[in-house]
Amino acid sequence: MGRSQNSFIKKQKEKKKAMKKKEKMEKKMERKENNDKGGTLEDMIAYVDEFGNIVDEKPEPPKEDKKKKRDEKPEEE
C-alpha cells in the first residue's frame, strides 16, 4: 500500500510542476506580446516650443515676415 500511494503522490507533484511551468510560459508569452516598453524613436522624441514647454508634436518652422525680407535686400541707387 505504501508503494502505490508513493507513486501516486509523485505523479501528482509532476502534474503540478508541469502545470506551473505551462502557466509560466503562457504568462511570459503574453508579456512578450503586450510589451509597450520602448517603442519607436518617433514616440520617444520630445520637442520644446517657443515658450519653453515640452510637446510631443514637431513645432512649425518660424514664419518670416515679408517686411524683414524687404529690409534685407540692398536698395539700388
Side-chain angles (χ1 to χ4, degrees), residues 15-29:
K15 284 182 184 180
K16 282 184 181 181
K17 189 175 180 180
M19 287 294 290
K20 281 187 180 182
K21 189 173 184 178
K22 183 180 177 184
E23 288 174 5
K24 187 175 181 181
M25 287 296 292
E26 288 174 358
K27 287 180 183 178
K28 181 180 177 183
M29 293 301 290

Side-chain angles (χ1 to χ4, degrees), residues 3 11 41 48 67 69 71 75:
R3 187 172 186 159
K11 288 179 184 178
L41 179 63
V48 179
K67 292 179 183 178
K69 286 187 179 181
D71 294 339
E75 296 180 14

Side-chain angles (χ1 to χ4, degrees), residues 12-60:
Q12 291 297 320
K13 284 183 181 180
E14 288 177 18
K15 284 182 184 180
K16 282 184 181 181
K17 189 175 180 180
M19 287 294 290
K20 281 187 180 182
K21 189 173 184 178
K22 183 180 177 184
E23 288 174 5
K24 187 175 181 181
M25 287 296 292
E26 288 174 358
K27 287 180 183 178
K28 181 180 177 183
M29 293 301 290
E30 185 178 331
R31 284 193 308 266
K32 194 173 185 180
E33 289 172 359
N34 297 331
N35 188 6
D36 293 336
K37 197 174 193 179
T40 63
L41 179 63
E42 202 56 41
D43 293 336
M44 291 188 269
I45 294 178
Y47 301 96
V48 179
D49 64 3
E50 67 254 15
F51 304 111
N53 300 324
I54 298 173
V55 294
D56 293 334
E57 301 90 28
K58 189 172 183 178
E60 295 179 12

